[in-house]
Amino acid sequence: MSSLSGKAVARKSVPVTAEDTRTVELLREPAGAYRAAMAEILGVELSANPSEAEVLQALIEAGRIAVEEKVMASGYAALAAARDDDDREHDRAMRNRRRGSSED
């Protein structure tokens, strides 16, 4: 797995709750469920001894990825819902056409 991607372009000051702080501490532990989940979401590993800043940046990236995936899923669902009988008939005809040409 690679390291976190984007190059930082700015530093922001954000408020954190006690729950946020606890999650950061759990993610800073070398092995554990939180660390494994983060690696699965991001497809990257945190460094062996990550700073609070590294963990916070990873949490922001994980949240961004989750939001982007939700937006894409909603878009695909809307696209599928917009399909009508003519679209489905066209797809069926194309599948049959391809099957017919491969049997030749």
Short mmCIF file of all heavy atoms in Angstrom, two decimals, residues 22-93:
data_model
loop_
_atom_site.label_atom_id
_atom_site.label_comp_id
_atom_site.label_asym_id
_atom_site.label_seq_id
_atom_site.Cartn_x
_atom_site.Cartn_y
_atom_site.Cartn_z
N ARG A 22 -10.67 10.61 20.61
CA ARG A 22 -10.58 9.18 20.91
C ARG A 22 -10.32 8.39 19.63
O ARG A 22 -9.50 7.48 19.61
CB ARG A 22 -11.88 8.71 21.59
CG ARG A 22 -11.95 7.24 21.85
CD ARG A 22 -11.10 6.84 23.04
NE ARG A 22 -11.26 5.41 23.27
CZ ARG A 22 -10.24 4.58 23.38
NH1 ARG A 22 -9.01 5.01 23.37
NH2 ARG A 22 -10.45 3.31 23.58
N THR A 23 -11.01 8.72 18.56
CA THR A 23 -10.82 8.03 17.29
C THR A 23 -9.40 8.22 16.77
O THR A 23 -8.77 7.28 16.29
CB THR A 23 -11.85 8.50 16.24
OG1 THR A 23 -13.16 8.24 16.74
CG2 THR A 23 -11.66 7.81 14.90
N VAL A 24 -8.88 9.44 16.88
CA VAL A 24 -7.50 9.71 16.46
C VAL A 24 -6.54 8.83 17.25
O VAL A 24 -5.62 8.23 16.69
CB VAL A 24 -7.16 11.20 16.61
CG1 VAL A 24 -5.66 11.44 16.46
CG2 VAL A 24 -7.92 12.04 15.59
N GLU A 25 -6.76 8.73 18.56
CA GLU A 25 -5.87 7.90 19.39
C GLU A 25 -5.97 6.43 18.99
O GLU A 25 -4.95 5.73 18.93
CB GLU A 25 -6.20 8.08 20.87
CG GLU A 25 -5.82 9.45 21.41
CD GLU A 25 -4.36 9.81 21.12
OE1 GLU A 25 -3.45 8.97 21.35
OE2 GLU A 25 -4.12 10.94 20.66
N LEU A 26 -7.16 5.95 18.70
CA LEU A 26 -7.33 4.57 18.25
C LEU A 26 -6.61 4.33 16.92
O LEU A 26 -6.03 3.26 16.70
CB LEU A 26 -8.81 4.22 18.12
CG LEU A 26 -9.56 4.08 19.44
CD1 LEU A 26 -11.07 4.03 19.19
CD2 LEU A 26 -9.10 2.85 20.21
N LEU A 27 -6.65 5.31 16.04
CA LEU A 27 -5.97 5.18 14.75
C LEU A 27 -4.46 5.28 14.86
O LEU A 27 -3.74 4.80 13.97
CB LEU A 27 -6.49 6.23 13.76
CG LEU A 27 -7.86 5.91 13.18
CD1 LEU A 27 -8.49 7.16 12.56
CD2 LEU A 27 -7.75 4.80 12.15
N ARG A 28 -3.99 5.87 15.92
CA ARG A 28 -2.54 5.99 16.10
C ARG A 28 -1.93 4.71 16.65
O ARG A 28 -0.72 4.51 16.59
CB ARG A 28 -2.21 7.18 17.01
CG ARG A 28 -2.54 8.51 16.33
CD ARG A 28 -2.13 9.68 17.17
NE ARG A 28 -0.67 9.83 17.08
CZ ARG A 28 0.05 10.52 17.94
NH1 ARG A 28 -0.53 11.15 18.95
NH2 ARG A 28 1.36 10.61 17.79
N GLU A 29 -2.77 3.80 17.18
CA GLU A 29 -2.27 2.52 17.69
C GLU A 29 -1.76 1.69 16.52
O GLU A 29 -2.41 1.64 15.47
CB GLU A 29 -3.38 1.78 18.44
CG GLU A 29 -3.79 2.47 19.72
CD GLU A 29 -4.96 1.79 20.41
OE1 GLU A 29 -5.42 0.72 19.94
OE2 GLU A 29 -5.43 2.34 21.43
N PRO A 30 -0.62 1.03 16.69
CA PRO A 30 0.01 0.31 15.58
C PRO A 30 -0.85 -0.77 14.92
O PRO A 30 -0.81 -0.96 13.73
CB PRO A 30 1.25 -0.32 16.20
CG PRO A 30 1.48 0.44 17.45
CD PRO A 30 0.18 0.97 17.91
N ALA A 31 -1.62 -1.49 15.71
CA ALA A 31 -2.47 -2.55 15.14
C ALA A 31 -3.83 -2.46 15.80
O ALA A 31 -3.96 -2.12 16.96
CB ALA A 31 -1.84 -3.91 15.41
N GLY A 32 -4.83 -2.74 15.03
CA GLY A 32 -6.17 -2.72 15.60
C GLY A 32 -7.22 -2.57 14.52
O GLY A 32 -6.92 -2.34 13.34
N ALA A 33 -8.46 -2.69 14.92
CA ALA A 33 -9.58 -2.65 13.99
C ALA A 33 -9.70 -1.30 13.29
O ALA A 33 -10.00 -1.25 12.09
CB ALA A 33 -10.88 -2.98 14.72
N TYR A 34 -9.46 -0.21 14.01
CA TYR A 34 -9.58 1.11 13.40
C TYR A 34 -8.53 1.30 12.32
O TYR A 34 -8.81 1.81 11.23
CB TYR A 34 -9.46 2.21 14.46
CG TYR A 34 -10.72 2.45 15.23
CD1 TYR A 34 -11.19 1.54 16.16
CD2 TYR A 34 -11.47 3.60 15.01
CE1 TYR A 34 -12.35 1.76 16.87
CE2 TYR A 34 -12.65 3.84 15.71
CZ TYR A 34 -13.08 2.91 16.64
OH TYR A 34 -14.25 3.13 17.32
N ARG A 35 -7.32 0.88 12.62
CA ARG A 35 -6.21 1.01 11.66
C ARG A 35 -6.48 0.17 10.42
O ARG A 35 -6.27 0.61 9.29
CB ARG A 35 -4.94 0.57 12.37
CG ARG A 35 -3.65 0.99 11.76
CD ARG A 35 -3.37 2.47 11.98
NE ARG A 35 -2.04 2.74 11.53
CZ ARG A 35 -1.01 2.96 12.32
NH1 ARG A 35 -1.16 3.05 13.61
NH2 ARG A 35 0.18 3.14 11.82
N ALA A 36 -6.99 -1.06 10.62
CA ALA A 36 -7.30 -1.95 9.49
C ALA A 36 -8.44 -1.37 8.64
O ALA A 36 -8.39 -1.42 7.41
CB ALA A 36 -7.68 -3.34 10.00
N ALA A 37 -9.44 -0.83 9.30
CA ALA A 37 -10.57 -0.23 8.57
C ALA A 37 -10.10 0.96 7.74
O ALA A 37 -10.51 1.13 6.58
CB ALA A 37 -11.67 0.19 9.53
N MET A 38 -9.25 1.79 8.31
CA MET A 38 -8.73 2.95 7.59
C MET A 38 -7.94 2.50 6.36
O MET A 38 -8.09 3.07 5.28
CB MET A 38 -7.87 3.82 8.50
CG MET A 38 -7.32 5.06 7.82
SD MET A 38 -8.60 6.23 7.31
CE MET A 38 -9.00 6.96 8.87
N ALA A 39 -7.12 1.49 6.52
CA ALA A 39 -6.34 0.97 5.39
C ALA A 39 -7.26 0.45 4.30
O ALA A 39 -7.01 0.66 3.11
CB ALA A 39 -5.39 -0.13 5.86
N GLU A 40 -8.35 -0.21 4.69
CA GLU A 40 -9.29 -0.74 3.70
C GLU A 40 -10.01 0.38 2.97
O GLU A 40 -10.17 0.34 1.75
CB GLU A 40 -10.31 -1.64 4.39
CG GLU A 40 -11.23 -2.35 3.43
CD GLU A 40 -12.17 -3.31 4.14
OE1 GLU A 40 -11.78 -3.88 5.16
OE2 GLU A 40 -13.29 -3.47 3.64
N ILE A 41 -10.44 1.41 3.68
CA ILE A 41 -11.15 2.53 3.07
C ILE A 41 -10.25 3.29 2.10
O ILE A 41 -10.63 3.58 0.97
CB ILE A 41 -11.70 3.50 4.13
CG1 ILE A 41 -12.82 2.84 4.93
CG2 ILE A 41 -12.21 4.80 3.49
CD1 ILE A 41 -13.21 3.59 6.19
N LEU A 42 -9.05 3.61 2.57
CA LEU A 42 -8.15 4.45 1.77
C LEU A 42 -7.30 3.66 0.79
O LEU A 42 -6.82 4.21 -0.19
CB LEU A 42 -7.21 5.24 2.69
CG LEU A 42 -7.85 6.28 3.60
CD1 LEU A 42 -6.80 6.92 4.47
CD2 LEU A 42 -8.58 7.33 2.79
N GLY A 43 -7.08 2.39 1.07
CA GLY A 43 -6.16 1.62 0.25
C GLY A 43 -4.72 2.00 0.52
O GLY A 43 -3.84 1.74 -0.29
N VAL A 44 -4.48 2.64 1.67
CA VAL A 44 -3.12 3.03 2.07
C VAL A 44 -2.96 2.76 3.57
O VAL A 44 -3.93 2.69 4.31
CB VAL A 44 -2.80 4.52 1.81
CG1 VAL A 44 -2.90 4.84 0.34
CG2 VAL A 44 -3.70 5.42 2.60
N GLU A 45 -1.74 2.59 3.96
CA GLU A 45 -1.41 2.39 5.37
C GLU A 45 -0.93 3.71 5.96
O GLU A 45 -0.23 4.47 5.31
CB GLU A 45 -0.27 1.36 5.52
CG GLU A 45 -0.62 -0.03 5.07
CD GLU A 45 -1.34 -0.83 6.14
OE1 GLU A 45 -1.32 -0.42 7.32
OE2 GLU A 45 -1.93 -1.85 5.79
N LEU A 46 -1.31 3.95 7.20
CA LEU A 46 -0.71 5.07 7.93
C LEU A 46 0.72 4.68 8.26
O LEU A 46 1.06 3.49 8.29
CB LEU A 46 -1.50 5.34 9.21
CG LEU A 46 -2.92 5.86 9.03
CD1 LEU A 46 -3.66 5.86 10.36
CD2 LEU A 46 -2.91 7.25 8.44
N SER A 47 1.56 5.65 8.51
CA SER A 47 2.94 5.34 8.88
C SER A 47 2.96 4.58 10.20
O SER A 47 1.95 4.51 10.90
CB SER A 47 3.76 6.63 8.98
OG SER A 47 3.28 7.43 10.06
N ALA A 48 4.09 4.01 10.55
CA ALA A 48 4.20 3.18 11.75
C ALA A 48 3.82 3.94 13.02
O ALA A 48 3.20 3.38 13.92
CB ALA A 48 5.63 2.65 11.87
N ASN A 49 4.20 5.20 13.10
CA ASN A 49 3.90 6.03 14.27
C ASN A 49 3.33 7.36 13.78
O ASN A 49 4.01 8.38 13.82
CB ASN A 49 5.16 6.22 15.11
CG ASN A 49 4.89 6.89 16.42
OD1 ASN A 49 3.77 6.88 16.91
ND2 ASN A 49 5.91 7.49 16.99
N PRO A 50 2.07 7.36 13.32
CA PRO A 50 1.52 8.56 12.69
C PRO A 50 1.28 9.70 13.68
O PRO A 50 0.92 9.48 14.83
CB PRO A 50 0.20 8.08 12.09
CG PRO A 50 -0.22 6.97 13.00
CD PRO A 50 1.07 6.30 13.39
N SER A 51 1.48 10.90 13.20
CA SER A 51 1.18 12.08 14.00
C SER A 51 -0.32 12.30 14.02
O SER A 51 -1.06 11.73 13.21
CB SER A 51 1.87 13.31 13.40
OG SER A 51 1.29 13.58 12.13
N GLU A 52 -0.78 13.15 14.92
CA GLU A 52 -2.19 13.50 14.94
C GLU A 52 -2.60 14.12 13.60
O GLU A 52 -3.67 13.83 13.08
CB GLU A 52 -2.50 14.48 16.08
CG GLU A 52 -2.53 13.85 17.44
CD GLU A 52 -2.91 14.84 18.53
OE1 GLU A 52 -2.81 16.08 18.30
OE2 GLU A 52 -3.30 14.38 19.61
N ALA A 53 -1.73 14.96 13.06
CA ALA A 53 -2.03 15.62 11.78
C ALA A 53 -2.21 14.59 10.67
O ALA A 53 -3.12 14.72 9.84
CB ALA A 53 -0.93 16.61 11.43
N GLU A 54 -1.35 13.57 10.62
CA GLU A 54 -1.46 12.54 9.59
C GLU A 54 -2.78 11.79 9.73
O GLU A 54 -3.47 11.54 8.74
CB GLU A 54 -0.29 11.55 9.68
CG GLU A 54 -0.34 10.48 8.61
CD GLU A 54 0.79 9.46 8.72
OE1 GLU A 54 1.73 9.65 9.49
OE2 GLU A 54 0.69 8.44 8.00
N VAL A 55 -3.14 11.46 10.95
CA VAL A 55 -4.39 10.73 11.18
C VAL A 55 -5.59 11.61 10.83
O VAL A 55 -6.54 11.14 10.18
CB VAL A 55 -4.48 10.23 12.64
CG1 VAL A 55 -5.85 9.67 12.94
CG2 VAL A 55 -3.40 9.18 12.91
N LEU A 56 -5.57 12.86 11.22
CA LEU A 56 -6.67 13.76 10.88
C LEU A 56 -6.81 13.92 9.37
O LEU A 56 -7.92 13.91 8.84
CB LEU A 56 -6.49 15.12 11.55
CG LEU A 56 -6.72 15.13 13.07
CD1 LEU A 56 -6.23 16.43 13.67
CD2 LEU A 56 -8.18 14.90 13.39
N GLN A 57 -5.69 14.03 8.68
CA GLN A 57 -5.74 14.15 7.22
C GLN A 57 -6.31 12.87 6.62
O GLN A 57 -7.12 12.92 5.70
CB GLN A 57 -4.33 14.44 6.68
CG GLN A 57 -4.32 14.94 5.24
CD GLN A 57 -4.40 13.82 4.21
OE1 GLN A 57 -3.87 12.75 4.42
NE2 GLN A 57 -5.09 14.09 3.12
N ALA A 58 -5.95 11.71 7.16
CA ALA A 58 -6.48 10.44 6.67
C ALA A 58 -7.99 10.35 6.91
O ALA A 58 -8.73 9.87 6.04
CB ALA A 58 -5.76 9.27 7.35
N LEU A 59 -8.44 10.84 8.06
CA LEU A 59 -9.88 10.84 8.33
C LEU A 59 -10.63 11.74 7.35
O LEU A 59 -11.71 11.39 6.89
CB LEU A 59 -10.14 11.29 9.77
CG LEU A 59 -9.92 10.23 10.84
CD1 LEU A 59 -9.92 10.86 12.23
CD2 LEU A 59 -10.96 9.14 10.74
N ILE A 60 -10.06 12.88 7.04
CA ILE A 60 -10.69 13.78 6.06
C ILE A 60 -10.74 13.09 4.71
O ILE A 60 -11.77 13.12 4.02
CB ILE A 60 -9.93 15.12 5.97
CG1 ILE A 60 -10.14 15.92 7.26
CG2 ILE A 60 -10.36 15.92 4.74
CD1 ILE A 60 -9.25 17.14 7.38
N GLU A 61 -9.65 12.45 4.31
CA GLU A 61 -9.63 11.76 3.02
C GLU A 61 -10.64 10.61 2.99
O GLU A 61 -11.36 10.43 2.01
CB GLU A 61 -8.23 11.24 2.71
CG GLU A 61 -8.10 10.70 1.31
CD GLU A 61 -6.67 10.47 0.87
OE1 GLU A 61 -5.75 11.00 1.49
OE2 GLU A 61 -6.50 9.74 -0.12
N ALA A 62 -10.74 9.85 4.09
CA ALA A 62 -11.71 8.76 4.16
C ALA A 62 -13.14 9.29 4.04
O ALA A 62 -13.98 8.71 3.34
CB ALA A 62 -11.54 7.97 5.46
N GLY A 63 -13.41 10.40 4.70
CA GLY A 63 -14.73 11.01 4.60
C GLY A 63 -15.02 11.49 3.20
O GLY A 63 -16.13 11.31 2.68
N ARG A 64 -14.03 12.10 2.55
CA ARG A 64 -14.20 12.58 1.18
C ARG A 64 -14.50 11.41 0.25
O ARG A 64 -15.41 11.48 -0.58
CB ARG A 64 -12.95 13.32 0.72
CG ARG A 64 -13.04 13.84 -0.73
CD ARG A 64 -11.72 14.43 -1.20
NE ARG A 64 -10.58 13.55 -1.04
CZ ARG A 64 -10.30 12.51 -1.84
NH1 ARG A 64 -11.10 12.19 -2.83
NH2 ARG A 64 -9.22 11.78 -1.62
N ILE A 65 -13.77 10.32 0.41
CA ILE A 65 -13.99 9.14 -0.42
C ILE A 65 -15.39 8.58 -0.20
O ILE A 65 -16.09 8.25 -1.16
CB ILE A 65 -12.91 8.07 -0.13
CG1 ILE A 65 -11.56 8.53 -0.69
CG2 ILE A 65 -13.31 6.71 -0.71
CD1 ILE A 65 -10.38 7.69 -0.24
N ALA A 66 -15.82 8.51 1.05
CA ALA A 66 -17.17 8.00 1.36
C ALA A 66 -18.24 8.87 0.72
O ALA A 66 -19.22 8.36 0.16
CB ALA A 66 -17.37 7.91 2.86
N VAL A 67 -18.08 10.18 0.77
CA VAL A 67 -19.05 11.10 0.17
C VAL A 67 -19.06 10.94 -1.34
O VAL A 67 -20.13 10.85 -1.96
CB VAL A 67 -18.75 12.57 0.58
CG1 VAL A 67 -19.57 13.55 -0.25
CG2 VAL A 67 -19.01 12.78 2.06
N GLU A 68 -17.88 10.86 -1.96
CA GLU A 68 -17.81 10.69 -3.42
C GLU A 68 -18.47 9.38 -3.85
O GLU A 68 -19.19 9.35 -4.86
CB GLU A 68 -16.36 10.75 -3.88
CG GLU A 68 -15.76 12.14 -3.80
CD GLU A 68 -14.27 12.17 -4.09
OE1 GLU A 68 -13.62 11.09 -4.17
OE2 GLU A 68 -13.73 13.28 -4.21
N GLU A 69 -18.24 8.31 -3.10
CA GLU A 69 -18.86 7.02 -3.44
C GLU A 69 -20.38 7.10 -3.32
O GLU A 69 -21.10 6.54 -4.15
CB GLU A 69 -18.30 5.91 -2.56
CG GLU A 69 -16.87 5.54 -2.93
CD GLU A 69 -16.25 4.51 -2.00
OE1 GLU A 69 -16.85 4.15 -0.96
OE2 GLU A 69 -15.14 4.06 -2.31
N LYS A 70 -20.88 7.78 -2.30
CA LYS A 70 -22.32 7.94 -2.12
C LYS A 70 -22.91 8.74 -3.28
O LYS A 70 -23.98 8.40 -3.80
CB LYS A 70 -22.61 8.62 -0.79
CG LYS A 70 -24.06 8.86 -0.51
CD LYS A 70 -24.82 7.57 -0.36
CE LYS A 70 -26.25 7.85 0.06
NZ LYS A 70 -27.09 6.68 0.00
N VAL A 71 -22.24 9.81 -3.68
CA VAL A 71 -22.72 10.63 -4.79
C VAL A 71 -22.77 9.80 -6.08
O VAL A 71 -23.75 9.85 -6.82
CB VAL A 71 -21.84 11.89 -4.97
CG1 VAL A 71 -22.12 12.59 -6.29
CG2 VAL A 71 -22.04 12.84 -3.80
N MET A 72 -21.73 9.01 -6.33
CA MET A 72 -21.71 8.17 -7.53
C MET A 72 -22.83 7.14 -7.48
O MET A 72 -23.53 6.92 -8.47
CB MET A 72 -20.36 7.49 -7.70
CG MET A 72 -19.29 8.44 -8.21
SD MET A 72 -17.76 7.59 -8.70
CE MET A 72 -17.10 7.13 -7.11
N ALA A 73 -23.02 6.50 -6.34
CA ALA A 73 -24.07 5.49 -6.22
C ALA A 73 -25.45 6.11 -6.44
O ALA A 73 -26.29 5.53 -7.12
CB ALA A 73 -24.00 4.82 -4.84
N SER A 74 -25.66 7.29 -5.89
CA SER A 74 -26.94 7.98 -6.09
C SER A 74 -27.13 8.34 -7.55
O SER A 74 -28.23 8.22 -8.09
CB SER A 74 -27.00 9.24 -5.23
OG SER A 74 -26.98 8.92 -3.87
N GLY A 75 -26.08 8.76 -8.20
CA GLY A 75 -26.14 9.11 -9.62
C GLY A 75 -26.47 7.90 -10.48
O GLY A 75 -27.30 7.97 -11.39
N TYR A 76 -25.82 6.76 -10.19
CA TYR A 76 -26.10 5.54 -10.94
C TYR A 76 -27.54 5.08 -10.71
O TYR A 76 -28.21 4.63 -11.63
CB TYR A 76 -25.13 4.42 -10.56
CG TYR A 76 -23.73 4.65 -11.05
CD1 TYR A 76 -22.64 4.43 -10.21
CD2 TYR A 76 -23.47 5.07 -12.35
CE1 TYR A 76 -21.34 4.64 -10.66
CE2 TYR A 76 -22.18 5.29 -12.80
CZ TYR A 76 -21.12 5.06 -11.95
OH TYR A 76 -19.85 5.25 -12.39
N ALA A 77 -28.02 5.21 -9.46
CA ALA A 77 -29.40 4.82 -9.16
C ALA A 77 -30.38 5.70 -9.93
O ALA A 77 -31.37 5.21 -10.47
CB ALA A 77 -29.65 4.90 -7.66
N ALA A 78 -30.10 6.99 -9.98
CA ALA A 78 -30.98 7.91 -10.71
C ALA A 78 -30.96 7.59 -12.20
O ALA A 78 -32.00 7.62 -12.87
CB ALA A 78 -30.55 9.35 -10.48
N LEU A 79 -29.79 7.28 -12.73
CA LEU A 79 -29.67 6.92 -14.14
C LEU A 79 -30.45 5.64 -14.44
O LEU A 79 -31.19 5.57 -15.42
CB LEU A 79 -28.19 6.74 -14.51
CG LEU A 79 -27.87 6.46 -15.96
CD1 LEU A 79 -28.33 7.60 -16.84
CD2 LEU A 79 -26.37 6.25 -16.12
N ALA A 80 -30.32 4.65 -13.56
CA ALA A 80 -31.05 3.39 -13.75
C ALA A 80 -32.55 3.62 -13.67
O ALA A 80 -33.32 3.05 -14.45
CB ALA A 80 -30.61 2.37 -12.71
N ALA A 81 -32.99 4.47 -12.76
CA ALA A 81 -34.41 4.75 -12.61
C ALA A 81 -34.97 5.50 -13.82
O ALA A 81 -36.16 5.39 -14.13
CB ALA A 81 -34.65 5.56 -11.34
N ALA A 82 -34.12 6.25 -14.51
CA ALA A 82 -34.57 7.04 -15.66
C ALA A 82 -34.70 6.19 -16.92
O ALA A 82 -35.29 6.64 -17.90
CB ALA A 82 -33.60 8.19 -15.91
N ARG A 83 -34.16 4.99 -16.88
CA ARG A 83 -34.24 4.12 -18.07
C ARG A 83 -35.69 3.71 -18.29
O ARG A 83 -36.43 3.42 -17.36
CB ARG A 83 -33.36 2.89 -17.89
CG ARG A 83 -31.87 3.27 -17.89
CD ARG A 83 -30.98 2.09 -17.62
NE ARG A 83 -31.23 0.93 -18.43
CZ ARG A 83 -30.78 0.72 -19.67
NH1 ARG A 83 -30.03 1.63 -20.25
NH2 ARG A 83 -31.05 -0.38 -20.33
N ASP A 84 -36.10 3.63 -19.55
CA ASP A 84 -37.47 3.23 -19.86
C ASP A 84 -37.46 1.93 -20.65
O ASP A 84 -36.42 1.32 -20.89
CB ASP A 84 -38.21 4.35 -20.60
CG ASP A 84 -37.55 4.73 -21.92
OD1 ASP A 84 -36.72 3.95 -22.44
OD2 ASP A 84 -37.86 5.81 -22.45
N ASP A 85 -38.65 1.49 -21.07
CA ASP A 85 -38.77 0.23 -21.79
C ASP A 85 -38.00 0.24 -23.10
O ASP A 85 -37.44 -0.78 -23.50
CB ASP A 85 -40.25 -0.09 -22.06
CG ASP A 85 -40.99 -0.47 -20.79
OD1 ASP A 85 -40.33 -0.88 -19.81
OD2 ASP A 85 -42.24 -0.35 -20.77
N ASP A 86 -37.94 1.37 -23.78
CA ASP A 86 -37.18 1.47 -25.03
C ASP A 86 -35.69 1.21 -24.78
O ASP A 86 -35.03 0.53 -25.57
CB ASP A 86 -37.36 2.84 -25.69
CG ASP A 86 -38.74 3.02 -26.30
OD1 ASP A 86 -39.42 2.00 -26.56
OD2 ASP A 86 -39.14 4.18 -26.51
N ASP A 87 -35.16 1.77 -23.68
CA ASP A 87 -33.75 1.54 -23.34
C ASP A 87 -33.49 0.06 -23.09
O ASP A 87 -32.50 -0.50 -23.56
CB ASP A 87 -33.35 2.34 -22.10
CG ASP A 87 -33.39 3.84 -22.32
OD1 ASP A 87 -33.04 4.29 -23.42
OD2 ASP A 87 -33.79 4.56 -21.37
N ARG A 88 -34.37 -0.56 -22.32
CA ARG A 88 -34.20 -1.98 -22.01
C ARG A 88 -34.33 -2.83 -23.28
O ARG A 88 -33.58 -3.80 -23.47
CB ARG A 88 -35.19 -2.40 -20.94
CG ARG A 88 -34.79 -1.89 -19.55
CD ARG A 88 -35.71 -2.41 -18.46
NE ARG A 88 -36.92 -1.60 -18.34
CZ ARG A 88 -36.99 -0.41 -17.74
NH1 ARG A 88 -35.92 0.09 -17.17
NH2 ARG A 88 -38.13 0.25 -17.67
N GLU A 89 -35.24 -2.49 -24.15
CA GLU A 89 -35.41 -3.23 -25.41
C GLU A 89 -34.18 -3.08 -26.30
O GLU A 89 -33.72 -4.05 -26.91
CB GLU A 89 -36.67 -2.75 -26.15
CG GLU A 89 -36.91 -3.47 -27.46
CD GLU A 89 -37.03 -4.98 -27.32
OE1 GLU A 89 -37.59 -5.46 -26.32
OE2 GLU A 89 -36.54 -5.69 -28.22
N HIS A 90 -33.62 -1.90 -26.34
CA HIS A 90 -32.39 -1.67 -27.11
C HIS A 90 -31.26 -2.54 -26.57
O HIS A 90 -30.53 -3.18 -27.34
CB HIS A 90 -32.00 -0.18 -27.06
CG HIS A 90 -30.73 0.11 -27.76
ND1 HIS A 90 -29.52 0.17 -27.10
CD2 HIS A 90 -30.45 0.33 -29.07
CE1 HIS A 90 -28.57 0.44 -27.97
NE2 HIS A 90 -29.11 0.53 -29.17
N ASP A 91 -31.09 -2.55 -25.24
CA ASP A 91 -30.04 -3.39 -24.63
C ASP A 91 -30.25 -4.87 -24.96
O ASP A 91 -29.29 -5.57 -25.29
CB ASP A 91 -30.02 -3.20 -23.11
CG ASP A 91 -29.53 -1.83 -22.70
OD1 ASP A 91 -28.97 -1.10 -23.54
OD2 ASP A 91 -29.71 -1.48 -21.51
N ARG A 92 -31.49 -5.32 -24.90
CA ARG A 92 -31.80 -6.71 -25.20
C ARG A 92 -31.45 -7.03 -26.66
O ARG A 92 -30.83 -8.05 -26.95
CB ARG A 92 -33.30 -6.94 -24.94
CG ARG A 92 -33.68 -8.38 -24.75
CD ARG A 92 -35.15 -8.58 -24.31
NE ARG A 92 -35.46 -7.85 -23.10
CZ ARG A 92 -36.30 -6.80 -23.01
NH1 ARG A 92 -36.92 -6.35 -24.08
NH2 ARG A 92 -36.53 -6.20 -21.86
N ALA A 93 -31.80 -6.14 -27.56
CA ALA A 93 -31.50 -6.34 -28.98
C ALA A 93 -30.00 -6.38 -29.22
O ALA A 93 -29.51 -7.20 -30.00
CB ALA A 93 -32.15 -5.23 -29.81
#
